[in-house]
Amino acid sequence: MAKTASPTRQIALPLVTRAAGEAQRIVVGNANAHVIDALRDPAGWPFNSAVLTGPARSGKTLIGRWAAAQGIDVIDGADRQDETRLFHRWNASQQGGSKAGEPLLMIADEQPWEIALPDLASRLGGSLQLEIGEPDDEMAAQLIEGFAEQRALSLADGAAEYLVPRTERSFADLEALVAMIDRISLERQSAATMSVWRAALEALQGPEQQKLL
């Protein structure tokens, strides 16, 4: 039986704005609540540093921007950068470095992050390891609503309840589903109601999805 998740909540990110001027939001639920809690209290990080990984489209960059606004030194896409440079940045965050006392967060897309430089691997191995998981049903419903909000897409009542049991449970799949609903709604010049939801599910998951509709 799945564990009961803590209530889903959202964090406003005033540095990341949509065209309409409204701040985007990170949905915080079972998959990432522990990450947000850890970023709120960097004083407890071992070696004053942390490593964040997670699935594609799981909001790592947005979380990093929020963390940077809290005074954390953030390196996004760390797994694509020169490892010697990262090693020097890690050293700088320790006592005596140019950034001594400033918490350091490295964000990597690769899971697991395979580090070739032994010195860097040993340093980051002792850092706080944070990993975003996959969303549960409650969080998936909130993500559907959040992705729709970002697109200024109005979903008819009951959308999340209908879609969540019928789609894959990942950040990327949920985002792709909302994008497809938006596309079909625009092509048909109709509201995003159940007929559009069905068409989006079939477009992404194939005709066999009809058995669940």
Side-chain angles (χ1 to χ4, degrees):
M1 181 179 295
K3 294 180 180 179
T4 302
S6 59
T8 306
R9 58 192 191 275
Q10 294 185 340
I11 292 178
L13 294 173
L15 299 180
V16 187
T17 57
R18 295 191 292 141
E22 181 181 344
Q24 285 189 19
R25 295 181 181 275
I26 292 175
V27 173
V28 182
N30 72 296
N32 60 6
H34 63 291
V35 172
I36 298 300
D37 289 342
L39 295 180
R40 291 185 187 277
D41 185 26
W45 297 359
F47 301 104
N48 213 34
S49 60
V51 175
L52 173 62
T53 60
R57 310 304 298 166
S58 58
K60 296 186 296 294
T61 293
L62 290 180
I63 289 175
R65 290 174 182 170
W66 173 77
Q70 316 308 308
I72 296 172
D73 185 17
V74 177
I75 302 177
D76 196 6
D79 52 327
R80 300 188 298 273
Q81 298 197 25
D82 179 75
E83 292 186 355
T84 300
R85 175 176 173 272
L86 294 179
F87 174 68
H88 292 312
R89 285 285 293 275
W90 188 93
N91 283 336
S93 69
Q94 307 307 305
Q95 288 297 324
S98 61
K99 291 181 174 289
E102 184 175 353
L104 173 64
L105 173 66
M106 294 194 186
I107 302 175
D109 293 323
E110 184 180 344
Q111 286 185 284
W113 179 10
E114 301 292 344
I115 302 172
L117 186 66
D119 286 341
L120 179 63
S122 65
R123 300 301 193 278
L124 295 186
S127 302
L128 179 64
Q129 304 298 311
L130 300 171
E131 182 178 354
I132 299 173
E134 296 290 0
D136 61 7
D137 285 359
E138 180 185 3
M139 188 175 184
Q142 292 288 337
L143 286 166
I144 287 173
E145 294 174 3
F147 289 138
E149 178 185 287
Q150 290 176 22
R151 290 176 166 271
L153 170 64
S154 178
L155 295 172
D157 290 344
E161 291 82 355
Y162 181 87
L163 294 169
V164 168
R166 295 170 169 81
T167 191
E168 299 298 326
R169 202 74 75 256
S170 77
F171 291 91
D173 287 322
L174 292 166
E175 185 177 28
L177 175 60
V178 174
M180 183 60 70
I181 291 172
D182 193 19
R183 175 181 173 181
I184 293 174
S185 178
L186 290 171
E187 289 175 349
R188 295 184 178 182
Q189 296 185 347
S190 65
T193 55
M194 187 176 292
S195 64
V196 173
W197 309 341
R198 287 178 173 175
L201 287 166
E202 183 173 351
L204 292 174
Q205 299 177 205
E208 66 273 11
Q209 180 63 21
Q210 287 291 339
K211 65 180 181 231
L212 296 175
L213 302 179

